[in-house]
């Protein structure tokens, strides 16, 4: 047998609106995209041989999801996305899934997620750090490595061999917004371009929605202090409710945060404390 222990943490979670029309209409109005960047370290121990090996992987993938799960604050969204990567153990899937759902439904104001149609494509960008320890004994099969499969990469269309940069106006080409993006954002865009089959990075396409910035821009998190929220509701109202993420009851106002749209959740510090006990 092999004993496997895994540690994985969400390094960052960011929400973007991808407001540009793609050439093949690859993404529907009912669909969002999630970009995973997974930095993995696998440490394999062979006690009988007194050896250990370390392997590192840095991978990315794009996973589509039903946009209604984001708009309706479906707490299963996080675990569904993590499961689709095929990279993590069951207990890790739950932990990371809870982290993703918690961040999405507490840190982003609801008004950004209720844009009328036609709406831009919602893109969740998640970076995860993973360390897996595989401790073999003498009875384990040599064909068993304890490593997850390669990170699946889903692609809608074959990448175009001839890029249509010449179809972009001179003004758009000169004002290419990608020149202003940071390296991490460009990494997300490269993964998205590979997924849609367009490949590379080009000057921005015409926008889908005219009332928001074109291109690829980040939705800023917004959390309302609980004191402001309690101006309109009493703490007694909260005592009778439960957190939609962890299902625990609200018992102390210091454990609660409220979103811009007046949804209430336990703080992450509270949930970490409960999980450790």
């Amino acid at each position: 047998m092999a004993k496997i222990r895994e540690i994985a943490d969400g390094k960052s979670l960011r929400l973007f609106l991808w407001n540009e029309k793609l050439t093949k209409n690859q993404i529907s109005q009912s669909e969002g995209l999630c970009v995973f960047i997974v930095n993995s370290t696998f440490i394999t121990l062979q006690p009988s041989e007194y050896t250990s090996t370390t392997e590192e992987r840095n991978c990315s993938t794009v996973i589509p999801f039903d946009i209604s799960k984001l708009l309706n604050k479906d707490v299963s969204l996080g675990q569904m996305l993590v499961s689709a990567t095929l990279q993590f153990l069951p207990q890790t899937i739950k932990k990371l899934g809870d982290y993703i759902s918690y961040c999405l439904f507490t840190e982003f104001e609801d008004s950004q997620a209720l844009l009328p149609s036609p709406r831009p494509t919602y893109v969740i960008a998640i970076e995860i750090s993973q360390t897996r320890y595989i401790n073999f004994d003498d009875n384990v099969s040599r064909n068993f490595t304890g490593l997850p499969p390669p990170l699946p990469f889903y692609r809608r269309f074959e990448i175009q061999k001839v890029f249509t940069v010449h179809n972009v106006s001179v003004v758009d080409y000169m004002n290419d917004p990608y020149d202003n993006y940071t390296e991490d954002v460009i990494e997300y865009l490269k993964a998205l371009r590979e997924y849609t089959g367009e490949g590379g990075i080009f000057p921005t396409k015409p926008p889908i929605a005219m009332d928001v910035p074109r291109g690829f821009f980040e939705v800023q998190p917004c959390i309302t202090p609980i004191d402001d929220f309690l101006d309109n509701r009493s703490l007694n109202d909260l005592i009778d409710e439960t957190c939609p993420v962890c299902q625990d009851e609200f018992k102390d106002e210091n454990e609660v945060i409220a979103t811009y749209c007046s949804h209430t959740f336990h703080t992450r510090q509270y949930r970490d404390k409960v999980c450790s006990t």
Side-chain angles (χ1 to χ4, degrees):
M1 296 293 292
K3 295 180 180 179
I4 300 178
R5 183 168 64 93
E6 183 173 72
I7 301 172
D9 293 299
K11 295 170 59 179
S12 71
L13 184 147
R14 301 162 72 180
L15 181 64
F16 294 85
L17 295 182
W18 193 13
N19 188 27
E20 60 179 47
K21 295 178 181 178
L22 303 180
T23 56
K24 299 178 181 177
N25 296 320
Q26 295 97 320
I27 306 169
S28 71
Q29 285 286 301
S30 62
E31 181 179 55
L33 301 176
C34 181
V35 179
F36 272 98
I37 307 292
V38 183
N39 302 311
S40 302
T41 301
F42 305 110
I43 301 174
T44 303
L45 304 176
Q46 296 280 3
S48 60
E49 300 175 5
Y50 301 101
T51 60
S52 66
T53 58
T54 300
E55 178 182 338
E56 294 187 356
R57 294 184 192 173
N58 297 308
C59 306
S60 65
T61 190
V62 176
I63 296 171
F65 65 90
D66 184 349
I67 193 66
S68 67
K69 289 184 177 293
L70 176 62
L71 304 184
N72 297 330
K73 300 187 182 297
D74 187 334
V75 295
S76 69
L77 175 59
Q79 291 193 37
M80 182 205 73
L81 291 172
V82 177
S83 296
T85 67
L86 308 179
Q87 296 300 291
F88 303 101
L89 301 177
Q91 61 269 29
T92 309
I93 291 174
K94 183 179 186 311
K95 176 186 175 182
L96 291 175
D98 287 349
Y99 160 78
I100 292 169
S101 293
Y102 177 81
C103 289
L104 285 174
F105 303 145
T106 60
E107 295 186 5
F108 297 99
E109 61 180 282
D110 202 59
S111 61
Q112 287 283 8
L114 293 177
L115 293 172
S117 295
R119 64 169 62 94
T121 302
Y122 286 84
V123 177
I124 304 169
I126 304 169
E127 296 194 33
I128 295 176
S129 175
Q130 173 193 35
T131 303
R132 179 177 292 191
Y133 301 90
I134 307 105
N135 192 349
F136 288 98
D137 64 20
D138 292 333
N139 298 320
V140 72
S141 169
R142 292 294 181 180
N143 295 323
F144 177 76
T145 65
L147 302 181
L151 194 67
F153 193 84
Y154 307 99
R155 180 177 292 161
R156 289 289 172 87
F157 297 92
E158 291 298 321
I159 297 176
Q160 294 179 354
K161 300 301 181 181
V162 179
F163 301 138
T164 56
V165 175
H166 62 275
N167 291 336
V168 180
S169 72
V170 174
V171 173
D172 281 348
Y173 191 86
M174 296 299 294
N175 295 325
D176 183 357
Y178 295 112
D179 291 339
N180 300 320
Y181 291 151
T182 57
E183 290 186 7
D184 53 345
V185 173
I186 289 177
E187 185 176 8
Y188 305 149
L189 279 166
K190 286 181 177 178
L192 292 168
R193 293 287 189 188
E194 289 284 323
Y195 173 76
T196 57
E198 294 197 341
I201 290 181
F202 303 104
T204 190
K205 311 287 185 179
I208 296 172
M210 302 303 295
D211 55 344
V212 292
R214 71 175 187 172
F216 192 71
F217 68 97
E218 187 167 5
V219 178
Q220 296 302 317
C222 177
I223 296 180
T224 301
I226 191 62
D227 290 341
D228 295 343
F229 174 76
L230 290 176
D231 287 343
N232 299 318
R233 296 182 63 187
S234 68
L235 181 59
N236 290 332
D237 292 332
L238 292 178
I239 296 298
D240 296 328
E241 297 181 6
T242 59
C243 173
V245 175
C246 67
Q247 305 300 315
D248 284 351
E249 294 182 354
F250 295 124
K251 299 177 181 179
D252 185 336
E253 65 183 57
N254 295 320
E255 300 170 350
V256 184
I257 60 173
T259 63
Y260 178 85
C261 51
S262 299
H263 289 84
T264 51
F265 298 84
H266 274 124
T267 63
R268 187 179 183 187
Q269 288 82 0
Y270 169 82
R271 297 182 65 245
D272 289 345
K273 179 178 67 176
V274 171
C275 292
S276 64
T277 57

